[in-house]
């Protein structure tokens, strides 16, 4: 039985305000649905009603697949697309760009849409794994709304091969009731072998795990120098007996208290800090990673029309705003930024000040394919 709408139709700003109150737990889901009048079949992300299906509804096949990161989307955005187009969205969670690339190279049809990080775009494009995009099929994307620094990594042969999803950082999440402040990667490894022994998680991702060990030892996050990598491997082997897990999906253990310390992407940090008072997030004062993730369409997609339709849906600023409110990423799109409430825009986990970003590095393409780093990660996990 549907609930009656209370009062006049809600505008986009009112919707986001009510959504944030729901996330904070200050209103019930019942109240949220009453005030907004929203069920999944009639989400109003801004402007006109979406109750009537678009012209291509039901013509996109039975399913479309996306490979993405853990805890990275509001499921409602996919559910709305499914209902509007009468198509299932199959979501597969991937923990690293290396695994994503290997799957695309070895499987005839892995996915229709993927979410790679900026440093993986050049290798993917050079190997012919992602295709140049037909922007005429993506009317919801506005290049002018995205700064050039976010478009340039996706440009090959004068064609955009990917569209920015959001940007963020890789830092340190810790339980402040169990541990003293952890503010550097050197401190992360020392704490992991001390007070957080048996309660620490490192990501199942050579880029960040080896990169953090390099930074802790005073080397560059992106180093591929043999001597630096050898010392980083020694540090990882020292910490290995003290780890709870090597896992890119660390939120469950941090939430239950099984883990007290973890490498953490900022979007996960937003969710953890929002929900659990004792968790804090810090960027490494000695360095670390800043990143931007993108949407791209693999050349081996089996449902290109549906891939474009889903990507266009995700590029709608109102859809992207709601998705980011759930996932915790920082937008690259000025249109989306204008829709976000002040408490989000001023959140230093999502939008840190420039000074705290100065020590961080973007990953570079050579790190993805460096055989020495891959071998170190294999030995580390097998030890």
């Amino acid at each position: 039985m549907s609930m009656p709408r209370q009062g006049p139709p809600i505008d986009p700003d009112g919707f986001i305000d009510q959504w944030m109150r729901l996330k904070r737990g200050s209103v019930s889901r019942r109240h949220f649905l009453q005030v907004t009048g929203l069920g999944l079949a009639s989400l109003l992300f801004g402007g006109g009603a979406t109750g009537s299906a678009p012209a291509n509804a039901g013509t996109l096949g039975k399913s479309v697949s996306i490979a993405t990161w853990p805890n990275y989307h509001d499921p409602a955005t996919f559910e709305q697309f499914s209902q509007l187009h009468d198509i299932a969205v199959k979501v597969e969670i991937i923990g690293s760009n290396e695994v994503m690339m290997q799957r695309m190279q070895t499987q005839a049809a892995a996915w229709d849409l993927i979410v790679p990080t900026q440093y993986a775009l050049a290798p993917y494009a050079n190997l012919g794994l992602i295709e140049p995009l037909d922007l005429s099929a993506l009317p919801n994307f506005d290049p002018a709304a995205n700064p050039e620094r976010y478009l340039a990594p996706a440009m090959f042969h004068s064609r955009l091969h990917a569209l920015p999803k959001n940007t963020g950082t890789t830092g340190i999440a810790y339980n402040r009731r169990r541990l003293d402040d952890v503010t550097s990667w050197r401190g992360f490894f020392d704490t992991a072998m001390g007070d957080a022994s048996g309660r620490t998680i490192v990501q199942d991702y050579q880029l960040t795990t080896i990169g953090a060990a390099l930074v802790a030892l005073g080397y560059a996050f992106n180093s591929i120098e043999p001597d630096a990598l050898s010392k980083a491997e020694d540090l990882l082997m020292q910490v290995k007996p003290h780890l709870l897990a090597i896992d890119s999906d660390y939120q469950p253990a941090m939430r239950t208290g099984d883990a007290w310390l973890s490498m953490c992407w900022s979007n996960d940090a937003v969710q953890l800090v929002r929900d659990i008072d004792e968790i804090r997030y810090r960027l490494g004062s000695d360095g670390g990673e800043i990143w931007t993730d993108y949407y791209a369409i693999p050349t081996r997609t089996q449902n290109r029309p549906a891939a474009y339709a889903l990507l266009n849906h995700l590029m709608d600023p109102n859809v992207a705003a709601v998705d980011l409110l759930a996932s915790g990423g920082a937008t690259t799109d000025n249109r989306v930024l204008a829709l976000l409430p002040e408490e989000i825009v001023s959140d230093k986990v999502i939008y840190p000040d420039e000074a705290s970003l100065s020590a961080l590095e973007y990953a570079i393409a050579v790190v993805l394919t460096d055989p020495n780093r891959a071998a170190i990660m294999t030995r580390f996990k097998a030890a």
Side-chain angles (χ1 to χ4, degrees), residues 76-111:
T77 61
F78 295 138
E79 292 167 7
Q80 188 206 22
F81 179 81
S82 293
Q83 292 193 5
L84 289 175
H85 296 274
D86 191 24
I87 183 174
V89 179
K90 297 181 177 179
V91 181
E92 184 170 352
I93 302 304
I94 303 295
S96 73
N97 285 286
E98 291 86 348
V99 170
M100 188 180 292
M101 183 169 71
Q102 182 183 39
R103 291 274 299 276
M104 287 195 295
Q105 288 178 297
T106 58
Q107 295 187 10
W111 309 286

Side-chain angles (χ1 to χ4, degrees), residues 277-334:
D277 180 64
E278 58 262 35
I279 293 182
R280 291 290 180 267
Y281 177 74
R282 296 286 184 267
L283 296 177
S285 59
D286 42 3
E289 182 195 22
I290 184 172
W291 46 263
T292 304
D293 283 343
Y294 292 76
Y295 291 112
I297 296 178
T299 52
R300 293 182 178 181
T301 174
Q302 294 296 289
N303 194 344
R304 187 169 282 101
Y308 270 95
L310 177 57
L311 179 52
N312 190 55
H313 175 74
L314 295 168
M315 285 293 108
D316 183 312
N318 297 284
V319 174
V322 172
D323 191 60
L324 289 174
L325 286 171
S327 68
T331 184
T332 69
D333 190 320
N334 294 329

